Amino acid sequence: MRINRGQIPIKFSDHTLGAGLAVFAASLWGVSGACAQYVFEHKGISIDWLVTVRLLIAGVLLLAYARLRNPSQWLAIWQTADSVKQLLAFGVLGMLGVQYTYFAVIEHSNAAVGTVLQYLGPTVIAVYLTVAHKRWPSRHEVAAIVLALVGTLLLVTHGELGVLQISTEAMFWGLSSALALAFYTVQPVELLKRHDSAVVVGWGMLVGGLAYVGWSQPWSVPGHWDLGTWAAAGFIVVMGTLVPFYCYLLAVKKIGPQQTSLYACAEPLSAALVSVLWLGVAFGWMDVLGSMCIVLTIYILSEQLGSDPD
């Protein structure tokens, strides 16, 4: 009996495909954090230059994709004063803010710590929504907040309470990264209701990059450029920005934002594994336990959102 392999269809359910895309996107983001640590520590690349170039190149390419897909809509976001104000705030405070603070905490610590601290962002959002809606936090939110605090304490003290094991700069930028991520997530909601997400994010990247050009002067290229530098920088721009963003959007369409954000918890894991195996970062049991506490907050908050009838 002969089997024609070309006639055997391979099908995946929407949930399987969506989960795979979300994990893939999150893993690429984690690896790009380790690549950033590599060029900071070993190649002399500056944060200012990398953030600006990443935003400008990724923004242009994403807008080119948006224009090809829907030529009549890619400029529509600039047609009303309200959209322009929201876009400028998103580009400068959201997109530029989350990129700069994330890379800053990596420079002052490492990719694993930076990624985990940034994942305090959903807990910040939960606190914000509780205050904004003038209500008591639910049991899920209280549990998430407590876990986030415990996880952060373990991560920054390595279990030795009262002794800060990371620099104050790393702590400052890590908490700033969580706040920036919360703003980045909440602020553009209205824009995303009216415009395609590729348009919003593409213009946000371009606005953020242009706003920082005068300070960063990207035409003055720092550092030592060899094959390793080009490979790491190229990965950060393409595989750490464009590809995961597109895969993440596909995952949201397949399984929804709550489930997608849950599977995106693979990002801290990938950042930690690559940092330890490639860059030799020390990551002890207390760091692992603290990271698990913070990642668990995402699961708790995602479960609550999934069961919320609203």
Coordinates of all heavy atoms in Angstrom, one line a residue, residues 112-113 116 151 154-155 158-159 268-269 272-273 276 282-296:
A112 N 17.4 38.8 31.6 CA 16.4 38.0 32.4 C 15.7 38.9 33.5 O 14.5 38.9 33.5 CB 17.2 36.8 33.1
V113 N 16.5 39.6 34.2 CA 15.9 40.5 35.2 C 15.0 41.6 34.6 O 13.9 41.9 35.0 CB 17.0 41.2 36.1 CG1 16.4 42.2 37.0 CG2 17.7 40.1 36.9
V116 N 11.7 40.1 33.4 CA 10.8 39.7 34.5 C 10.2 41.0 35.1 O 9.0 41.0 35.4 CB 11.5 38.8 35.5 CG1 10.7 38.6 36.7 CG2 11.9 37.5 34.9
G151 N 7.5 38.3 44.4 CA 8.4 37.9 43.3 C 9.5 39.0 43.1 O 10.7 38.7 43.0
L154 N 12.1 38.9 46.0 CA 13.0 37.7 45.8 C 14.0 38.0 44.7 O 15.2 37.7 44.8 CB 12.2 36.5 45.6 CG 11.4 35.9 46.7 CD1 10.6 34.7 46.2 CD2 12.3 35.5 47.9
L155 N 13.5 38.6 43.7 CA 14.4 38.9 42.5 C 15.5 39.9 42.8 O 16.6 39.7 42.3 CB 13.5 39.3 41.3 CG 14.2 39.3 39.9 CD1 14.5 37.9 39.5 CD2 13.2 39.9 38.9
H158 N 17.6 38.3 46.1 CA 18.0 36.9 46.1 C 17.7 36.2 47.4 O 18.4 35.3 47.8 CB 19.5 36.8 45.8 CG 19.9 37.4 44.5 ND1 21.2 37.3 44.0 CD2 19.2 37.9 43.5 CE1 21.3 37.9 42.8 NE2 20.1 38.2 42.5
G159 N 16.6 36.6 48.0 CA 16.2 36.0 49.3 C 16.8 36.5 50.5 O 16.4 36.2 51.6
P268 N 9.8 35.8 29.6 CA 10.8 35.7 30.7 C 11.6 34.4 30.7 O 12.8 34.5 31.0 CB 10.0 35.9 31.9 CG 8.7 36.5 31.5 CD 8.4 36.0 30.1
L269 N 10.9 33.3 30.4 CA 11.6 32.0 30.4 C 12.7 32.0 29.3 O 13.8 31.6 29.5 CB 10.6 30.9 30.1 CG 11.2 29.5 30.0 CD1 11.9 29.1 31.3 CD2 10.1 28.5 29.7
A272 N 15.6 34.3 30.2 CA 16.4 33.7 31.3 C 17.3 32.6 30.7 O 18.5 32.5 31.0 CB 15.6 33.2 32.4
L273 N 16.7 31.7 29.9 CA 17.5 30.6 29.4 C 18.6 31.0 28.5 O 19.8 30.6 28.6 CB 16.6 29.6 28.6 CG 15.6 28.8 29.4 CD1 14.7 28.0 28.5 CD2 16.4 27.8 30.3
V276 N 21.4 32.8 30.5 CA 22.2 31.8 31.3 C 23.1 31.0 30.4 O 24.3 30.9 30.6 CB 21.3 30.9 32.2 CG1 22.2 29.8 32.8 CG2 20.6 31.7 33.2
A282 N 24.3 34.7 36.0 CA 24.0 33.9 37.2 C 22.5 34.0 37.5 O 22.1 35.2 37.7 CB 24.9 34.3 38.3
F283 N 21.8 32.9 37.6 CA 20.4 33.0 37.9 C 20.1 31.9 38.9 O 19.9 30.7 38.5 CB 19.6 32.8 36.6 CG 18.3 33.5 36.6 CD1 18.2 34.9 36.6 CD2 17.1 32.7 36.5 CE1 16.9 35.5 36.6 CE2 15.8 33.4 36.5 CZ 15.8 34.8 36.6
G284 N 20.0 32.2 40.2 CA 19.9 31.2 41.2 C 18.4 30.8 41.5 O 17.5 31.3 40.8
W285 N 18.3 30.0 42.5 CA 16.9 29.5 42.8 C 16.0 30.6 43.3 O 14.8 30.5 43.0 CB 17.0 28.4 43.8 CG 17.6 27.1 43.3 CD1 18.8 26.5 43.5 CD2 16.9 26.2 42.3 NE1 18.9 25.3 42.8 CE2 17.8 25.1 42.1 CE3 15.7 26.3 41.7 CZ2 17.4 24.1 41.2 CZ3 15.3 25.2 40.8 CH2 16.2 24.2 40.6
M286 N 16.5 31.5 44.0 CA 15.7 32.6 44.5 C 15.2 33.5 43.3 O 14.1 34.0 43.3 CB 16.4 33.5 45.5 CG 16.5 32.8 46.8 SD 14.9 32.5 47.6 CE 15.3 31.6 49.0
D287 N 16.1 33.6 42.3 CA 15.7 34.4 41.1 C 14.6 33.6 40.3 O 13.6 34.2 39.8 CB 16.9 34.6 40.2 CG 18.0 35.3 40.9 OD1 17.7 36.4 41.3 OD2 19.1 34.8 40.9
V288 N 14.8 32.3 40.2 CA 13.8 31.5 39.6 C 12.4 31.5 40.3 O 11.4 31.7 39.7 CB 14.2 30.0 39.5 CG1 13.1 29.1 38.9 CG2 15.5 29.9 38.6
L289 N 12.5 31.5 41.6 CA 11.2 31.5 42.4 C 10.6 32.9 42.3 O 9.3 33.0 42.1 CB 11.6 31.2 43.9 CG 10.4 31.2 44.8 CD1 9.3 30.1 44.4 CD2 10.8 30.9 46.3
G290 N 11.3 33.9 42.3 CA 10.8 35.3 42.2 C 10.2 35.5 40.8 O 9.1 36.0 40.6
S291 N 10.9 35.0 39.8 CA 10.3 35.0 38.4 C 9.0 34.3 38.3 O 8.1 34.8 37.6 CB 11.4 34.5 37.4 OG 12.6 35.2 37.5
M292 N 9.0 33.1 38.9 CA 7.7 32.3 38.8 C 6.6 33.0 39.5 O 5.4 33.0 39.0 CB 8.0 30.9 39.5 CG 8.9 30.0 38.7 SD 9.2 28.5 39.5 CE 7.6 27.8 39.7
C293 N 6.8 33.7 40.6 CA 5.8 34.5 41.3 C 5.2 35.6 40.4 O 4.0 35.8 40.3 CB 6.3 35.1 42.5 SG 6.6 33.9 43.9
I294 N 6.1 36.3 39.7 CA 5.7 37.4 38.8 C 4.9 36.8 37.6 O 3.9 37.4 37.2 CB 6.9 38.2 38.4 CG1 7.5 39.0 39.6 CG2 6.5 39.2 37.3 CD1 8.8 39.7 39.3
V295 N 5.5 35.8 37.0 CA 4.8 35.2 35.8 C 3.4 34.6 36.2 O 2.5 34.7 35.5 CB 5.7 34.1 35.2 CG1 4.9 33.3 34.1 CG2 6.9 34.7 34.6
L296 N 3.3 34.1 37.4 CA 2.0 33.5 37.9 C 1.0 34.6 38.0 O -0.2 34.4 37.8 CB 2.2 32.9 39.2 CG 1.0 32.1 39.8 CD1 0.6 31.0 38.8 CD2 1.4 31.5 41.2

